[in-house]
Amino acid sequence: MDKLAITGGVRLQGEVRVSGAKNATLPILAGALLADGPVTIGNVPHLNDVTTMIALLVRMGVDVTVHDGMRVEVDPGNIQHYRAPYELVKTMRASILVLGPLLSRFGEAEVSLPGGCAIGARPVDLHVAGLQAMGAEISIEDGFIRARADRLKGAHLVLDIVTVTGTENLMMAAALAKGHTVIENAAREPEVVDLANFLNSMGARVRGAGTNRIEIEGVSALGGTDYNVMPDRIETGTFLVAAAMTGGRILVKRTRPAVIEAVLAKLRDAGADIVIGEDWIELDMHAVRPKSVDISTAPYPGFPTDMQAQFTAMNSIADGVGTITENVFENRFMHVLELQRMGADIKIAGHSAVIHGIAGLTAAPVMATDLRASASLVLAGLAADGETLVDRIYHIDRGYECIEEKFQQLGALIRRIV
Ligand code: UD1
């Protein structure tokens, strides 16, 4: 199993280019199932989760061609069946995103239930309830969601909880439904907006994405398109925190500063000097230790849960005491145990972690448990004294493209051990 070896203590410096957003690419690849013609998607990141979604489409008989320059062509014309098997869904919960498109376009879908997950129960009940309200017949049998519908009908949906993939699934289903759908309490994440823009480029009629009320006027068919995925805001934030933790100065290019304001505000509170342009962010920490910050995660535009672990790592070495409250997922403090093994002073009480910053972490062998937890361990390693070995980095390869090359570009002493 691959590991990352990181010798900490180097102040990060230089430029890094952000890849396409994982959480926009996955729904967009699933959304390509809705098209009558070939869909070309650009700025697709080379990530294990993307490979899994492509494998899922190929398994159904969809033609997928990966071209140079991170462009992927998807043609669902030859699809043979509508099933997402357990062995793929268990490696990636976002596989559930094929449910809405399959049902809406082909009238049937069979998707394995995702099952247990390292970061809490994460049910998909709201996806199912929304599709039922649109007229689908759904049963849960043998660990599978089995869904059928002649043609989905528009409906007024009020989501109990803000769910990102739930909103996306229902939006995709509604795109080909008969009539008008309203999704209230919709997720406002930028990736939801990117998906809506993609669907509209295929001829869908989606309005209000980015607000908590999305309206979709169903159309009878959607055409092919050529669409570029937005930049990854979580990858952007991860590099910025790495620079802040090492007292460095970096320029993050090809990103979208407007969608990570909550993260930038906390980095400024931590003492970072930040300058932004339209598609770049420069952070300068002036070789100073960060100050502790309090974080409370919330759906967008609140502070993203996917940046929580990275800020926990930063608070571990910051000046002062910081409290991190996780409101989106239960059981998302797996990284804390590993950070403690590097000397961090963290106490967990319910869904909060209180962190007394210490002057420096010490290197240790640590184990990644989920995607963002593993990112926090890499950041801790970059700031620690000595050589940290991060094991089980397949988690990090699910969501960060060329992580070691990009950090090397910023001067970090990091290498992959295969
Ligand atoms: C998406 C992101 C993930 C991010 C998360 C929250 C993708 C592929 N993944 O995950 O990176 O951490 O949003 O920003 O975009 N819930 C229910 N019932 C449901 C659906 C969700 O109770 O039917 C709950 C979940 O357990 C969780 C909360 O709602 O507590 C939010 O989850 P959700 O937004 O659905 O997360 P994902 O879409 O899976």
Side-chain angles (χ1 to χ4, degrees), residues 29 45 60 82 91 164 237 239 241 255 293 346 361 365 369 372-373:
L29 281 168
M60 294 176 199
Y82 315 109
T91 65
V164 176
F239 285 122
V241 174
T255 186
V293 288
I346 308 176
L361 295 168
T369 49
R372 305 306 169 187

Side-chain angles (χ1 to χ4, degrees), residues 22-23 26 93-94 122-127 161-165 189 305-306 328-329 332:
K22 169 179 91 68
N23 286 355
L26 298 176
R93 287 181 47 84
R122 296 182 85 176
V124 290
D125 53 314
L126 300 173
H127 303 231
I161 303 176
V162 178
T163 157
V164 176
T165 51
E189 267 64 6
T305 173
D306 286 349
V328 178
F329 291 116
R332 205 179 195 181

Side-chain angles (χ1 to χ4, degrees), residues 269-298:
D269 289 350
D273 254 350
I274 295 176
V275 185
I276 59 173
E278 202 177 321
D279 66 350
W280 55 265
I281 303 171
E282 189 175 43
L283 178 144
D284 193 346
M285 204 63 193
H286 300 290
V288 171
R289 181 180 173 196
K291 292 194 279 282
S292 293
V293 288
D294 292 331
I295 301 283
S296 184
T297 67

Side-chain angles (χ1 to χ4, degrees), residues 285-326:
M285 204 63 193
H286 300 290
V288 171
R289 181 180 173 196
K291 292 194 279 282
S292 293
V293 288
D294 292 331
I295 301 283
S296 184
T297 67
Y300 192 85
F303 188 92
T305 173
D306 286 349
M307 285 301 301
Q308 181 260 102
Q310 298 87 321
F311 273 75
T312 305
M314 187 176 82
N315 271 349
S316 300
I317 54 140
D319 185 14
V321 181
T323 302
I324 306 254
T325 306
E326 174 55 60

Side-chain angles (χ1 to χ4, degrees), residues 193-212:
V193 179
D194 213 34
L195 174 65
N197 291 340
F198 164 74
L199 294 173
N200 287 342
S201 77
M202 293 160 75
R205 294 174 62 192
V206 180
R207 279 185 302 145
T211 75
N212 57 9

Side-chain angles (χ1 to χ4, degrees), residues 15-324:
E15 296 183 3
V16 65
R17 214 181 80 177
V18 167
S19 301
K22 169 179 91 68
N23 286 355
T25 304
L26 298 176
I28 287 173
L29 281 168
L33 286 166
L34 295 163
D36 274 348
V39 167
T40 303
I41 308 163
N43 202 27
V44 172
H46 187 68
L47 300 172
N48 284 355
D49 273 9
V50 170
T51 309
T52 303
M53 184 59 90
I54 290 174
L56 190 54
L57 298 177
V58 168
R59 196 73 82 82
M60 294 176 199
V62 172
D63 293 321
V64 180
T65 317
V66 179
H67 297 287
D68 285 349
M70 282 106 66
R71 294 176 72 72
V72 176
E73 195 181 310
V74 182
D75 186 350
N78 294 321
I79 191 163
Q80 281 142 17
H81 57 86
Y82 315 109
R83 185 178 164 96
Y86 179 64
E87 66 263 30
L88 289 176
V89 178
K90 75 172 183 206
T91 65
M92 185 183 71
R93 287 181 47 84
S95 310
I96 189 75
L97 285 164
V98 299
L99 179 63
L102 284 176
L103 184 61
S104 187
R105 169 84 199 284
F106 304 105
E108 62 176 283
E110 217 177 84
V111 179
S112 169
L113 280 170
C117 170
I119 56 170
R122 296 182 85 176
V124 290
D125 53 314
L126 300 173
H127 303 231
V128 169
L131 294 171
Q132 282 171 327
M134 296 171 80
E137 278 174 37
I138 301 187
S139 60
I140 312 278
E141 293 162 42
D142 313 324
F144 275 83
I145 303 170
R146 295 207 163 90
R148 284 188 170 276
D150 286 339
R151 184 175 176 198
L152 294 173
K153 292 183 225 24
H156 193 123
L157 308 172
V158 184
L159 303 181
D160 286 347
I161 303 176
V162 178
T163 157
V164 176
T165 51
T167 302
E168 291 166 345
N169 234 336
L170 297 172
M171 189 164 85
M172 290 190 280
L176 285 180
K178 187 171 165 48
H180 191 73
T181 297
V182 179
I183 307 176
E184 308 260 20
N185 199 27
R188 297 161 65 185
E189 267 64 6
E191 294 78 12
V192 173
V193 179
D194 213 34
L195 174 65
N197 291 340
F198 164 74
L199 294 173
N200 287 342
S201 77
M202 293 160 75
R205 294 174 62 192
V206 180
R207 279 185 302 145
T211 75
N212 57 9
R213 182 186 162 94
I214 300 179
E215 297 194 44
I216 305 117
E217 197 60 53
V219 295
S220 53
L222 292 170
T225 185
D226 191 333
Y227 190 83
N228 283 327
V229 174
M230 67 179 285
D232 198 306
R233 64 194 166 103
I234 306 301
E235 187 194 10
T236 302
T238 303
F239 285 122
L240 293 174
V241 174
M245 286 177 70
T246 58
R249 177 183 178 179
I250 66 166
L251 177 66
V252 182
K253 295 193 302 188
R254 294 209 20 195
T255 186
R256 201 179 286 174
V259 297
I260 58 161
E261 277 178 6
V263 171
L264 297 182
K266 290 296 172 184
L267 285 166
R268 286 194 174 105
D269 289 350
D273 254 350
I274 295 176
V275 185
I276 59 173
E278 202 177 321
D279 66 350
W280 55 265
I281 303 171
E282 189 175 43
L283 178 144
D284 193 346
M285 204 63 193
H286 300 290
V288 171
R289 181 180 173 196
K291 292 194 279 282
S292 293
V293 288
D294 292 331
I295 301 283
S296 184
T297 67
Y300 192 85
F303 188 92
T305 173
D306 286 349
M307 285 301 301
Q308 181 260 102
Q310 298 87 321
F311 273 75
T312 305
M314 187 176 82
N315 271 349
S316 300
I317 54 140
D319 185 14
V321 181
T323 302
I324 306 254

